[in-house]
Amino acid sequence: MTHSLRIPDLTIPARPARAAWPAGVGPGDAGDPAVNDVDVIRVLGEARLAGTVHVVGAKNSALKLMAAALLAPGRSVITNVPRITDIAIMGEVLRRLGCVVRFAADDPVDPMVARGGVERSRSVVIDVPEQPGAEADYDLVRRLRASICVLGPLLARRRYVRVAHPGGDAIGSRGLDMHIAGLARMGAEISGEHGFVIAEAPDGLHGADILLDFPSVGATENLVMAAVLARGTTTIDNAAREPEIVDICTMLSRMGARIEGAGTSTLHITGVRELRPVRHATVGDRIVAGTWAFAAAMTRGDVTVTGVDPAYLEVALDKLVSAGGLVETRGGAFRVRMDDRPKAVDVVTLPFPGFATDLLPMAIGLAAVSDGASLITENIFDGRFMFANEMMRLGADIRTDGHHALVCGHERLSGAPVRATDIRAGAGLIIAGLCADGVTEVSHVHHVDRGYPDFVADLRALGVEVERGTAPEEPDLAI
């Protein structure tokens, strides 16, 4: 069955349904259509989302759980892993470190997770050798910033590690200063050459008191993974409190680590001699869930989101209530309904439990169609507003000044071709296109593939006229 938009001159061939992963093959391996930076997604505007959408495991947790598996030789199994390209990249990072990595079906398969026969989550099976490798190559690390999280576990196990400086989304500076300073306090000798971070601890790591200048998620994760095998007790003050931190601490505790204070700003880790492999389920993705919550509000829709604890989105959902929405929560699900045009609300991003920076594009999208003016303040990444120019191409009235954006709402946006600059900006632009007249075409949607499994299928199930295809080739302008 094919799906085409109702505007003939803008119709492109429908993207074929994605096949399930073959045994032992992960997302993004050869032949996977998800890895295509010339794809576009087109949506027909003036849409209203309605229905139920299931959210699978959090990308920001699953990637770090895969790295944590390096801490114990043997077979660890991580379930509820999202079917996205970043998982494939991390799988290849682990393979090059000597692990055997394969993907298998989650059992049992939830019909909401495999709507239409398309698997949205999988289990990743990781067999870790007694002596894993100690170098993470640049060609992979540059594509996935999260791969820097192998630094802590490899240093703890091998006492030597060489990891390329990471890449990832272009949303501002995200240095490694706190990672390096914390590891140095634990006895590591850190140096850098030829684009690599080199860390050595010939006598092993030892416990230390560490105060983070900022509650960095990445630094907290790396330091916790290093500390679980260090001699003595490590205390991390001003630690990140995100649900993903709690998730990794839960997995490490099941592996035999001794961690106190997960979910608070102070962590106490008492090192142990060795850890054991485990089976662990990834926590639901609160950012994907929040994306659907804002999409429901922006389109004056009615959407139920399952698979995520609504407590992880308390501030974001409260903003939607302030905007005039109805929010109902129950167990691992919530419902968002917006009957009228949203009212303008101000948003300030902060570390958890504050408003998540990854939801800022959706907050700007909501402000762009709200009644009134909203002040949006970004406190985490200095480049988050890079996508504002693309949103303005849709008719959004946005004025930025440093960490602030003043957004004056319009009743309706205007469809136009735009370009995704990162994962969340891509999703935000697609959703903004639902609030526009005409067709919105979003290019460079490989960014979206890195964070949203089967985004088009979910949109279609919620009532959106949407299609995905290959962008026309650009003309050769060479003289």
Side-chain angles (χ1 to χ4, degrees):
M1 180 177 179
T2 60
H3 300 267
S4 296
L5 299 187
R6 291 195 299 254
I7 303 178
D9 61 339
L10 290 179
T11 298
I12 58 178
R15 180 180 176 85
R18 189 184 305 170
W21 294 346
V25 178
D29 287 323
D32 186 351
V35 187
N36 189 348
D37 61 5
V38 297
D39 274 8
V40 297
I41 291 177
R42 288 180 176 175
V43 294
L44 184 64
E46 301 185 68
R48 178 180 184 270
L49 298 189
T52 299
V53 60
H54 182 81
V55 173
V56 297
K59 149 196 150 78
N60 289 336
S61 190
L63 294 168
K64 317 305 173 60
L65 299 174
M66 292 173 70
L70 288 167
L71 287 161
R75 175 172 294 180
S76 285
V77 179
I78 304 167
T79 64
N80 197 28
V81 173
R83 187 185 188 276
I84 55 175
T85 54
D86 278 13
I87 295 295
I89 298 172
M90 179 59 81
E92 186 59 26
V93 169
L94 297 182
R95 287 188 185 105
R96 295 193 191 181
L97 292 170
C99 301
V100 176
V101 180
R102 65 180 179 86
F103 297 87
D106 274 341
D107 185 27
V109 176
D110 187 323
M112 287 299 298
V113 178
R115 183 190 296 128
V118 176
E119 294 164 335
R120 292 155 183 259
S121 72
R122 298 283 288 207
S123 296
V124 56
V125 182
I126 306 169
D127 289 292
V128 181
E130 289 291 339
Q131 287 292 320
E135 179 170 326
D137 298 327
Y138 170 71
D139 65 316
L140 292 174
V141 176
R142 69 178 176 84
R143 296 175 59 192
L144 178 63
R145 180 179 176 83
S147 52
I148 193 64
C149 65
V150 302
L151 179 64
L154 286 179
L155 182 59
R157 283 203 64 197
R158 292 297 311 275
R159 301 187 179 186
Y160 171 87
V161 61
R162 190 171 184 263
V163 180
H165 275 286
D169 282 335
I171 55 173
S173 60
R174 298 191 279 180
L176 300 179
D177 292 356
M178 287 182 283
H179 302 241
I180 292 170
L183 292 174
R185 289 190 65 84
M186 297 170 66
E189 300 174 4
I190 314 289
S191 61
E193 63 179 23
H194 307 300
F196 281 81
V197 176
I198 301 172
E200 300 178 81
D203 298 322
L205 297 172
H206 57 73
D209 293 331
I210 301 170
L211 173 62
L212 298 180
D213 295 334
F214 177 84
S216 161
V217 173
T220 300
E221 290 164 338
N222 247 330
L223 296 175
V224 168
M225 287 190 282
V228 292
L229 292 179
R231 299 187 309 276
T233 298
T234 298
T235 299
I236 305 174
D237 282 315
N238 201 25
R241 301 164 56 190
E242 275 74 359
E244 295 78 20
I245 296 292
V246 177
D247 199 25
I248 195 170
C249 288
T250 300
M251 175 173 167
L252 291 171
S253 295
R254 289 174 178 169
M255 295 172 74
R258 298 173 59 189
I259 303 172
E260 298 177 1
T264 74
S265 58
T266 302
L267 294 172
H268 300 282
I269 307 104
T270 302
V272 297
R273 291 181 59 86
E274 61 183 12
L275 298 175
R276 58 184 176 271
V278 294
R279 182 182 182 92
H280 179 80
T282 310
V283 69
D285 197 320
R286 62 193 172 99
I287 303 303
V288 173
T291 299
W292 293 120
F294 273 81
M298 290 170 62
T299 62
R300 306 182 201 183
D302 186 350
V303 175
T304 297
V305 182
T306 64
V308 173
D309 187 342
Y312 298 156
L313 288 162
E314 184 175 352
V315 173
L317 294 178
D318 185 63
K319 288 294 180 183
L320 296 181
V321 171
S322 298
L326 171 67
V327 175
E328 300 174 357
T329 63
R330 61 181 186 278
F334 62 88
R335 175 189 179 193
V336 175
R337 192 182 83 209
M338 183 73 73
D339 295 328
D340 301 308
R341 184 181 177 189
K343 295 178 288 188
V345 293
D346 296 336
V347 171
V348 178
T349 66
L350 290 168
F352 189 85
F355 190 94
T357 179
D358 279 355
L359 289 177
L360 182 133
M362 279 52 82
I364 288 183
L366 178 70
V369 297
S370 292
D371 184 8
S374 303
L375 182 63
I376 312 294
T377 302
E378 168 58 41
N379 289 313
I380 311 299
F381 296 132
D382 54 16
R384 267 295 180 200
F385 292 133
M386 286 177 59
F387 82 103
N389 287 337
E390 300 299 311
M391 191 72 81
M392 286 188 275
R393 285 183 50 79
L394 298 177
D397 184 350
I398 305 172
R399 282 162 281 180
T400 61
D401 181 10
H403 290 273
H404 306 282
L406 179 65
V407 186
C408 297
H410 293 293
E411 179 77 21
R412 183 71 59 189
L413 300 176
S414 178
V418 292
R419 177 179 181 272
T421 55
D422 64 69
I423 299 172
R424 310 306 172 184
L429 289 167
I430 292 169
I431 291 166
L434 304 180
C435 306
D437 53 29
V439 171
T440 294
E441 175 184 287
V442 182
S443 63
H444 291 74
V445 294
H446 62 285
H447 289 298
V448 180
D449 294 328
R450 291 182 51 215
Y452 294 85
D454 298 294
F455 198 51
V456 167
D458 282 331
L459 287 168
R460 192 172 288 140
L462 293 173
V464 175
E465 292 201 48
V466 54
E467 60 190 13
R468 176 170 179 155
T470 302
E473 290 186 11
E474 296 185 3
D476 185 358
L477 301 179
I479 297 176

